[in-house]
DNA sequence: GTCTATACGGTGATAGAC
DNA sequence: GTCTATCACCGTATAGAC
C-alpha cells in the first residue's frame, strides 16, 4: 500500500468520525489528506463507497487490535474491560467528543443506503463481539453466556459513546464502565 | 399549527430515521410531505436547521409520551420496562429496521456541526432520562441510584437500537430488554 | 400562501493531456 | 501517477409574480 493511498484512508477516518458518511465529501478528503487531486479515482476506482468501506475496515482493524491487546494487559477480564472503556473515555475526552472510530455513525447512516458499507460495518462489529466473547469466556461463563454478555457489553459501549458525544462529557462512558464491571461480577459470582 | 406545516414535520421525521440529517434534502422533504413547494420557507424561514430541530423535538415529544404511558401500564416498573423495549423491538422489526425515532442518528451527526440541533437532541435525551428515573425510583432506589440506572438503561437502549439496525434483526434489542430486567432485579434485591 | 424561476456553490464522477 | 477541465446533477436559499 503506497503512502498516498494510506493517507487518504486515514484522512477519511478522521472526517468520518466527525461528520459521518453523507456529510463527508470527496473534495474534503483530498484536502484533508494532502493527497494529489488526481489520486482519488486512481487508488479507488469504484468511488466513494469503496473509500468509505475501506476506511471503516481500516479503523475497525485498529480498534479490534487495540481491544485485543488492551483486554489481556490485566489478568482479571472484568478489570481489563473496565480499564479499557475508561481509556476510551480518556481518548474521547481529549478529542473533544467527536471521536470513537467512524463505526457508530457510519453504520447507522449506511444501513439503509449502501449494502456494501453496511457489510463492512457488520464485519467489524462481529469481530468486536468475538474478541469480547473470547475474553469473557475466561470468567467461567458458558459459550452462550459469554456471547450474550459480549453483545450486551457492545450495546452499552455504543450507547455510552453516543451519550458522551451528545452531552460533551465522558461521564456516561465512565458510568457504563463501572456498571459493566459490577453487574458482570455479580453475574459470575452467582 | 396548520396541516401543511405538520405534514412537513412528519415527513421530515420519517426521512430522518432512514437517512439522517445531511442526507435528507429539502426537496426530498417537500416531495415526501406532499406539501406545496412554496411552503417550506414560509413556515420555516430559518431554513434547514429549523426544520430538523423542530422535527427532533416533535418526534422526541411523541417518544417521551409513549414511554411515560407505556411504563405505567404495568405495576412492576421492571416488567413495564421490559415490555416497553420489546414493544419497540416489534415496531423496529415491522419497519424493516430503519426506524426508532430520528433521535439517535441525528444526535450523532449534528454533534459537531449544528449546536442548535444538538441542543434539541440533548433536551429530548434529558426528558427520557427523567421519565426513566422517575419510574425506576419506585423500585426503592435512592434518587442518585435511579438516575444512574436511568442513564445506563438509556445507553443500553441506544446501543441495542444501533445493533438491531446494523444486523437487521430485533434480537439485540430483545437481549437488552431481557438483560436489563434481570440485572436490575438483582440490583434491587440485594 | 403558494408558484416559478433562479442564483450559486457543491457533489460525485469522467476524459484526456502530461 | 498526477493534473486540469469539465460533466450533469444536486444542494440550500432567495426573489418576485400571483
Amino acid at each position: 500500500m503506497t503512502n498516498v493511498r494510506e493517507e487518504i484512508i486515514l484522512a477519511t477516518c478522521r472526517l468520518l468520525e466527525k461528520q459521518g458518511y453523507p456529510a463527508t465529501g470527496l473534495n474534503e478528503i483530498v484536502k484533508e489528506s494532502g493527497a494529489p487531486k488526481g489520486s482519488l479515482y486512481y487508488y479507488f476506482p469504484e468511488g466513494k463507497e469503496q473509500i468509505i468501506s475501506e476506511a471503516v475496515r481500516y479503523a475497525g482493524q485498529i480498534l479490534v487490535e487495540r481491544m485485543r491487546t488492551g483486554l489481556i494487559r490485566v489478568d482479571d477480564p472484568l478489570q481489563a474491560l473496565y480499564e479499557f472503556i475508561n481509556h476510551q473515555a480518556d481518548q474521547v475526552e481529549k478529542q473533544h467528543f467527536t471521536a470513537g472510530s467512524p463505526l457508530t455513525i457510519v453504520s447507522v447512516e449506511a444501513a439503509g443506503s449502501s449494502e456494501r458499507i453496511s457489510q463492512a460495518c457488520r464485519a467489524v462489529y462481529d469481530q468486536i463481539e468475538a474478541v469480547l466473547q473470547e475474553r469473557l469466556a475466561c470468567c467461567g461463563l458458558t459459550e452462550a453466556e459469554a456471547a450474550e454478555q459480549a453483545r450486551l457489553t457492545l450495546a452499552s459501549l455504543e450507547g455510552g459513546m453516543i451519550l458522551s458525544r451528545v452531552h460533551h462529557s465522558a461521564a456516561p462512558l465512565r458510568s457504563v464502565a463501572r456498571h459493566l464491571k459490577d453487574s458482570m461480577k455479580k453475574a459470575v459470582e452467582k
Side-chain angles (χ1 to χ4, degrees), chain A residues 22-35:
Chain A
T24 297
L26 299 187
N27 295 338
E28 212 178 352
I29 293 176
V30 169
K31 202 206 271 179
E32 166 83 14
S33 68

Side-chain angles (χ1 to χ4, degrees), chain A residues 16-185:
Chain A
L16 285 179
E17 323 192 301
K18 268 197 308 188
Q19 308 165 338
Y21 166 36
T24 297
L26 299 187
N27 295 338
E28 212 178 352
I29 293 176
V30 169
K31 202 206 271 179
E32 166 83 14
S33 68
K37 293 200 175 188
S39 302
L40 252 201
Y41 279 89
Y42 175 79
Y43 289 110
F44 305 93
E46 292 152 69
K48 191 176 184 179
E49 277 197 316
Q50 185 186 5
I51 300 180
I52 307 293
S53 300
E54 295 204 21
V56 166
R57 255 189 294 272
Y58 185 94
Q61 215 46 49
I62 291 177
L63 177 62
V64 167
E65 213 43 59
R66 202 186 302 154
M67 283 190 73
R68 208 189 304 273
T69 59
L71 290 184
I72 56 172
R73 289 193 59 210
V74 178
D75 278 350
D76 176 15
L78 298 186
Q79 179 65 22
L81 180 62
Y82 174 76
E83 290 181 16
F84 174 79
I85 298 179
N86 270 317
H87 179 69
Q88 283 292 104
D90 293 340
Q91 294 304 112
V92 169
E93 209 163 24
K94 265 185 211 143
Q95 286 163 57
H96 305 283
F97 308 101
T98 63
S101 119
L103 199 56
T104 312
I105 185 166
V106 174
S107 62
V108 175
E109 291 178 314
S113 61
S114 164
E115 185 49 37
R116 179 173 185 176
I117 298 175
S118 267
Q119 214 169 333
C121 293
R122 234 175 289 131
V124 175
Y125 276 124
D126 288 346
Q127 286 182 71
I128 295 177
E129 277 193 34
V131 169
L132 284 172
Q133 178 179 353
E134 190 188 356
R135 191 64 180 118
L136 291 177
C138 302
C139 298
L141 301 171
T142 69
E143 191 174 322
E145 286 170 340
E148 179 78 355
Q149 280 299 335
R151 170 157 286 188
L152 293 167
T153 300
L154 179 53
S156 297
L157 201 45
E158 287 291 318
M161 296 287 289
I162 291 181
L163 294 184
S164 279
R165 182 162 172 145
V166 171
H167 285 98
H168 277 258
S169 156
L173 214 37
R174 297 197 198 282
S175 288
V176 166
R178 213 178 322 121
H179 168 75
L180 282 175
K181 188 171 78 166
D182 293 349
S183 86
M184 292 181 64
K185 193 175 235 168

